[in-house]
Amino acid sequence: MKRVITFGTFDVFHVGHLRILERARAFGNYLIVGVSTDDLNVSKKSRAPIYPQDERVAIVEALKCVDEIFYEESLALKRYYLTQYRADVLVMGDDWTGRFDEFRDICEVAYLPRTPSISTTAVIERVRR
Ligand code: C2G
């Protein structure tokens, strides 16, 4: 059993989110996802998500590739989450490259290329226009 963990807000869920979760799951055979709380998102991005945390969790939790979810409440708790959920691998998109290298002492860390040409911000902008 290889346990994979990843984190994200997954706001206005799109195919880039789906692809990273599928690729993360392919790193092992059990995928745990830390979904950022609304409060954490405000502190990370200075705005509230469009979809509230319970709806974001409901969407991510329903995916075939996701085995377990929890609320990510703080970026500072990363080491605690990795230990608590006994992660063998941490997978993140390459917008986070280098940011989690300090955890290589307790698990494998992999950064995967983002899906091009799609983001929550781009979707919001398109809807606005
Ligand atoms: N992603 C991707 N391709 C895109 C857009 C996003 O692969 N076109 C990936 C990101 O790289 C990330 C995941 O999807 O790994 C979730 O993205 P966000 O919801 O933007 O996550 P973020 O708010 O950056 O939260 O502890 C880390 C964080 O909480 C990450």
Side-chain angles (χ1 to χ4, degrees):
M1 174 73 92
K2 193 168 177 185
R3 296 166 65 88
V4 185
I5 197 166
T6 192
F7 297 84
T9 308
F10 306 103
D11 191 24
V12 188
F13 196 89
H14 58 66
V15 75
H17 294 144
L18 179 63
R19 295 285 174 254
I20 191 119
L21 292 172
E22 288 175 337
R23 286 180 294 158
R25 177 62 155 73
F27 264 75
N29 35 34
Y30 193 85
L31 177 63
I32 305 146
V33 184
V35 177
S36 302
T37 58
D38 294 342
D39 285 350
L40 174 56
N41 201 70
V42 170
S43 74
K44 277 191 305 193
K45 298 182 181 173
S46 309
R47 67 162 178 83
I50 305 285
Y51 296 170
Q53 59 191 39
D54 56 326
E55 295 181 11
R56 292 184 286 107
V57 155
I59 292 166
V60 173
E61 201 170 29
L63 299 171
K64 221 185 328 184
C65 58
V66 173
D67 297 290
E68 189 174 343
I69 65 103
F70 66 95
Y71 283 109
E72 179 194 28
E73 298 194 337
S74 163
L75 295 180
L77 290 174
K78 192 122 300 135
R79 184 172 290 274
Y80 166 79
Y81 294 136
L82 296 175
T83 312
Q84 181 79 2
Y85 290 95
R86 293 178 284 115
D88 299 302
V89 195
L90 166 62
V91 171
M92 288 301 298
D94 61 5
D95 45 326
W96 290 89
T97 296
R99 297 279 296 277
F100 300 126
D101 287 356
E102 63 188 282
F103 306 118
R104 289 192 195 276
D105 60 333
I106 52 168
C107 65
E108 198 183 316
V109 179
Y111 305 100
L112 307 184
R114 281 168 64 97
T115 301
S117 315
I118 185 142
S119 70
T120 298
T121 313
V123 172
I124 295 169
E125 278 309 305
R126 217 164 110 196
V127 172
R128 268 211 184 112
R129 285 199 303 267

